[in-house]
Amino acid sequence: MKARFNKIKNYSNIENKRAVILGKGISLEQYIYNKEKDIVFSLNTAALCLDVIDFLVLNDIETINKFVESGNIKKVKNIILPIQLHKNETVSSILCTDVLDIICEEDITLYTYKLFTQRNKEILSNDSFDKFGFKYSRILSTLHVASQWSIMAGFKNIQVYGCSMSPEYSEVFEKNDDCGNLRSRHWYVQNYNILLNILNDSKIEYNIHSLI
């Protein structure tokens, strides 16, 4: 089956499952995959250690390019991405339909949302994908995308690994120079606090596994 769009209302693999969000922080090393329970949401390249990535969550075209060039795109079942992607940390002209063309031969389902930096209006007439925005619309990172999307999809239990108020990264990402752009400690604190607001507003069961 070739790559295709789907809508969040049609996603149904939730019963008796927990959404596991994986970032690149130190506590990622604590995570033990449970095939029967876990639906894994990989923040960019965070879950490359796994054989299967249920959801790749991204905002930037660079992430797609990394997965395609390395062949790791074969691990991915679903992708959550904005309608209009970023490149070099800023909004670009690249659209979700362009990504569909790039991975057209892969058996992957794409789920979209409207990022607050959306500029292209013509693409919004396409009814084959979602165009909703999130309650917490000022997205700082894919952490906020994965948490809000999984809540909207209906997950009642969210476990978060590799995300904290600290800029510390797991050793494997430091070795591979895959730690993202340098940001201030204040950014990490803000990013973490927004996650707390998202999770607490939802009144679901959650645990943030953080070493720092």
Side-chain angles (χ1 to χ4, degrees), residues 4-12 55 78-82 109-113 129-130 149:
R4 63 275 174 194
F5 289 114
N6 198 2
K7 296 186 177 182
I8 193 171
K9 66 180 182 181
N10 298 323
Y11 183 74
S12 59
F55 283 91
N78 305 279
I79 297 176
I80 300 173
L81 74 166
T109 302
L110 281 70
Y111 294 88
T112 60
Y113 67 94
F129 49 78
D130 283 323
W149 195 95

Short mmCIF file of all heavy atoms in Angstrom, two decimals, residues 4-12 55 78-82 109-113 129-130 149:
data_model
loop_
_atom_site.label_atom_id
_atom_site.label_comp_id
_atom_site.label_asym_id
_atom_site.label_seq_id
_atom_site.Cartn_x
_atom_site.Cartn_y
_atom_site.Cartn_z
N ARG A 4 -0.48 7.58 2.18
CA ARG A 4 -1.80 8.21 2.04
C ARG A 4 -2.08 9.07 3.27
O ARG A 4 -1.49 8.90 4.33
CB ARG A 4 -2.91 7.18 1.89
CG ARG A 4 -3.10 6.26 3.11
CD ARG A 4 -2.18 5.09 3.05
NE ARG A 4 -2.21 4.24 4.23
CZ ARG A 4 -1.28 3.31 4.49
NH1 ARG A 4 -0.25 3.14 3.68
NH2 ARG A 4 -1.35 2.57 5.56
N PHE A 5 -3.02 9.99 3.12
CA PHE A 5 -3.49 10.80 4.24
C PHE A 5 -4.62 10.08 4.96
O PHE A 5 -5.36 9.28 4.38
CB PHE A 5 -4.02 12.16 3.74
CG PHE A 5 -2.96 13.09 3.25
CD1 PHE A 5 -2.90 13.46 1.91
CD2 PHE A 5 -2.02 13.61 4.13
CE1 PHE A 5 -1.93 14.33 1.46
CE2 PHE A 5 -1.03 14.48 3.68
CZ PHE A 5 -1.00 14.84 2.34
N ASN A 6 -4.76 10.39 6.24
CA ASN A 6 -5.91 9.95 7.03
C ASN A 6 -6.26 11.07 8.00
O ASN A 6 -5.51 12.04 8.14
CB ASN A 6 -5.60 8.65 7.78
CG ASN A 6 -6.85 7.93 8.26
OD1 ASN A 6 -7.97 8.37 7.99
ND2 ASN A 6 -6.67 6.84 8.98
N LYS A 7 -7.40 10.93 8.67
CA LYS A 7 -7.83 11.94 9.64
C LYS A 7 -7.86 11.33 11.03
O LYS A 7 -8.12 10.15 11.20
CB LYS A 7 -9.18 12.51 9.25
CG LYS A 7 -9.15 13.26 7.93
CD LYS A 7 -10.47 13.95 7.61
CE LYS A 7 -10.37 14.74 6.32
NZ LYS A 7 -11.63 15.47 6.00
N ILE A 8 -7.64 12.18 12.02
CA ILE A 8 -7.52 11.73 13.39
C ILE A 8 -8.78 11.00 13.86
O ILE A 8 -8.70 10.05 14.64
CB ILE A 8 -7.19 12.91 14.33
CG1 ILE A 8 -6.75 12.40 15.71
CG2 ILE A 8 -8.33 13.89 14.41
CD1 ILE A 8 -6.20 13.50 16.61
N LYS A 9 -9.94 11.39 13.36
CA LYS A 9 -11.19 10.76 13.77
C LYS A 9 -11.24 9.29 13.36
O LYS A 9 -12.01 8.50 13.92
CB LYS A 9 -12.39 11.50 13.18
CG LYS A 9 -12.49 11.42 11.67
CD LYS A 9 -13.69 12.18 11.14
CE LYS A 9 -13.80 12.06 9.61
NZ LYS A 9 -14.98 12.83 9.10
N ASN A 10 -10.42 8.90 12.39
CA ASN A 10 -10.43 7.52 11.90
C ASN A 10 -9.41 6.63 12.59
O ASN A 10 -9.37 5.43 12.33
CB ASN A 10 -10.16 7.51 10.39
CG ASN A 10 -11.22 8.25 9.61
OD1 ASN A 10 -12.39 8.19 9.93
ND2 ASN A 10 -10.81 8.95 8.56
N TYR A 11 -8.57 7.22 13.45
CA TYR A 11 -7.55 6.41 14.13
C TYR A 11 -8.21 5.66 15.28
O TYR A 11 -8.87 6.26 16.13
CB TYR A 11 -6.41 7.28 14.66
CG TYR A 11 -5.32 6.44 15.30
CD1 TYR A 11 -4.46 5.69 14.51
CD2 TYR A 11 -5.19 6.36 16.67
CE1 TYR A 11 -3.48 4.89 15.07
CE2 TYR A 11 -4.22 5.56 17.25
CZ TYR A 11 -3.37 4.83 16.45
OH TYR A 11 -2.41 4.04 17.02
N SER A 12 -8.01 4.35 15.35
CA SER A 12 -8.77 3.53 16.30
C SER A 12 -7.92 2.60 17.17
O SER A 12 -8.47 1.91 18.03
CB SER A 12 -9.81 2.70 15.55
OG SER A 12 -9.18 1.86 14.59
N PHE A 55 4.45 6.27 15.41
CA PHE A 55 4.24 7.63 14.93
C PHE A 55 5.55 8.40 14.95
O PHE A 55 6.19 8.52 15.99
CB PHE A 55 3.22 8.37 15.82
CG PHE A 55 1.79 7.99 15.58
CD1 PHE A 55 1.21 6.97 16.32
CD2 PHE A 55 1.03 8.64 14.63
CE1 PHE A 55 -0.10 6.60 16.11
CE2 PHE A 55 -0.30 8.27 14.41
CZ PHE A 55 -0.87 7.25 15.15
N ASN A 78 3.27 5.64 10.80
CA ASN A 78 2.46 6.86 10.66
C ASN A 78 3.35 8.08 10.88
O ASN A 78 4.34 8.01 11.61
CB ASN A 78 1.33 6.90 11.70
CG ASN A 78 0.44 5.67 11.67
OD1 ASN A 78 -0.46 5.56 10.85
ND2 ASN A 78 0.69 4.74 12.58
N ILE A 79 2.96 9.19 10.27
CA ILE A 79 3.66 10.46 10.47
C ILE A 79 2.65 11.52 10.85
O ILE A 79 1.58 11.62 10.22
CB ILE A 79 4.41 10.90 9.20
CG1 ILE A 79 5.50 9.88 8.83
CG2 ILE A 79 5.03 12.29 9.39
CD1 ILE A 79 6.23 10.20 7.53
N ILE A 80 2.97 12.31 11.86
CA ILE A 80 2.18 13.49 12.23
C ILE A 80 3.02 14.71 11.84
O ILE A 80 4.15 14.87 12.31
CB ILE A 80 1.86 13.52 13.73
CG1 ILE A 80 1.06 12.27 14.14
CG2 ILE A 80 1.08 14.79 14.08
CD1 ILE A 80 0.85 12.14 15.63
N LEU A 81 2.46 15.56 10.99
CA LEU A 81 3.22 16.69 10.47
C LEU A 81 2.31 17.88 10.21
O LEU A 81 1.10 17.70 10.03
CB LEU A 81 3.94 16.29 9.17
CG LEU A 81 3.12 16.13 7.89
CD1 LEU A 81 4.06 16.07 6.67
CD2 LEU A 81 2.24 14.90 7.91
N PRO A 82 2.86 19.09 10.17
CA PRO A 82 2.03 20.25 9.85
C PRO A 82 1.69 20.29 8.36
O PRO A 82 2.39 19.69 7.54
CB PRO A 82 2.93 21.43 10.24
CG PRO A 82 4.32 20.92 10.13
CD PRO A 82 4.25 19.46 10.49
N THR A 109 0.93 6.16 6.79
CA THR A 109 -0.23 7.03 6.86
C THR A 109 0.18 8.38 7.43
O THR A 109 0.89 8.44 8.44
CB THR A 109 -1.32 6.41 7.75
OG1 THR A 109 -1.68 5.13 7.22
CG2 THR A 109 -2.55 7.29 7.79
N LEU A 110 -0.26 9.46 6.80
CA LEU A 110 0.08 10.81 7.24
C LEU A 110 -1.13 11.47 7.90
O LEU A 110 -2.24 11.44 7.36
CB LEU A 110 0.54 11.67 6.06
CG LEU A 110 1.97 11.50 5.56
CD1 LEU A 110 2.14 10.16 4.87
CD2 LEU A 110 2.36 12.63 4.62
N TYR A 111 -0.88 12.06 9.07
CA TYR A 111 -1.88 12.83 9.79
C TYR A 111 -1.38 14.27 9.92
O TYR A 111 -0.22 14.49 10.28
CB TYR A 111 -2.12 12.26 11.19
CG TYR A 111 -2.74 10.88 11.20
CD1 TYR A 111 -1.94 9.74 11.15
CD2 TYR A 111 -4.13 10.72 11.25
CE1 TYR A 111 -2.51 8.47 11.16
CE2 TYR A 111 -4.70 9.45 11.26
CZ TYR A 111 -3.88 8.34 11.21
OH TYR A 111 -4.45 7.09 11.22
N THR A 112 -2.24 15.22 9.62
CA THR A 112 -1.81 16.62 9.58
C THR A 112 -2.51 17.47 10.64
O THR A 112 -3.52 17.07 11.22
CB THR A 112 -2.09 17.23 8.20
OG1 THR A 112 -3.50 17.15 7.95
CG2 THR A 112 -1.34 16.51 7.11
N TYR A 113 -1.96 18.64 10.83
CA TYR A 113 -2.58 19.67 11.67
C TYR A 113 -2.10 21.02 11.16
O TYR A 113 -1.13 21.12 10.40
CB TYR A 113 -2.20 19.48 13.15
CG TYR A 113 -0.75 19.73 13.42
CD1 TYR A 113 -0.30 20.97 13.83
CD2 TYR A 113 0.20 18.73 13.22
CE1 TYR A 113 1.04 21.21 14.05
CE2 TYR A 113 1.54 18.96 13.43
CZ TYR A 113 1.95 20.20 13.85
OH TYR A 113 3.29 20.43 14.05
N PHE A 129 -7.13 15.76 4.20
CA PHE A 129 -6.40 15.73 5.46
C PHE A 129 -6.97 16.74 6.45
O PHE A 129 -7.72 17.65 6.09
CB PHE A 129 -4.90 15.98 5.24
CG PHE A 129 -4.60 17.18 4.38
CD1 PHE A 129 -4.66 18.47 4.90
CD2 PHE A 129 -4.23 17.02 3.05
CE1 PHE A 129 -4.37 19.56 4.11
CE2 PHE A 129 -3.95 18.11 2.26
CZ PHE A 129 -4.02 19.39 2.78
N ASP A 130 -6.59 16.59 7.72
CA ASP A 130 -7.07 17.46 8.79
C ASP A 130 -6.45 18.85 8.70
O ASP A 130 -5.30 19.02 8.27
CB ASP A 130 -6.72 16.86 10.16
CG ASP A 130 -7.64 15.73 10.57
OD1 ASP A 130 -8.84 15.80 10.26
OD2 ASP A 130 -7.15 14.77 11.19
N TRP A 149 -1.98 15.74 20.13
CA TRP A 149 -2.58 14.86 19.14
C TRP A 149 -3.04 13.56 19.79
O TRP A 149 -4.15 13.08 19.50
CB TRP A 149 -1.58 14.55 18.02
CG TRP A 149 -2.21 13.95 16.79
CD1 TRP A 149 -2.62 14.62 15.67
CD2 TRP A 149 -2.50 12.56 16.57
NE1 TRP A 149 -3.15 13.72 14.76
CE2 TRP A 149 -3.09 12.46 15.29
CE3 TRP A 149 -2.33 11.40 17.32
CZ2 TRP A 149 -3.51 11.24 14.75
CZ3 TRP A 149 -2.75 10.19 16.79
CH2 TRP A 149 -3.32 10.11 15.53
#
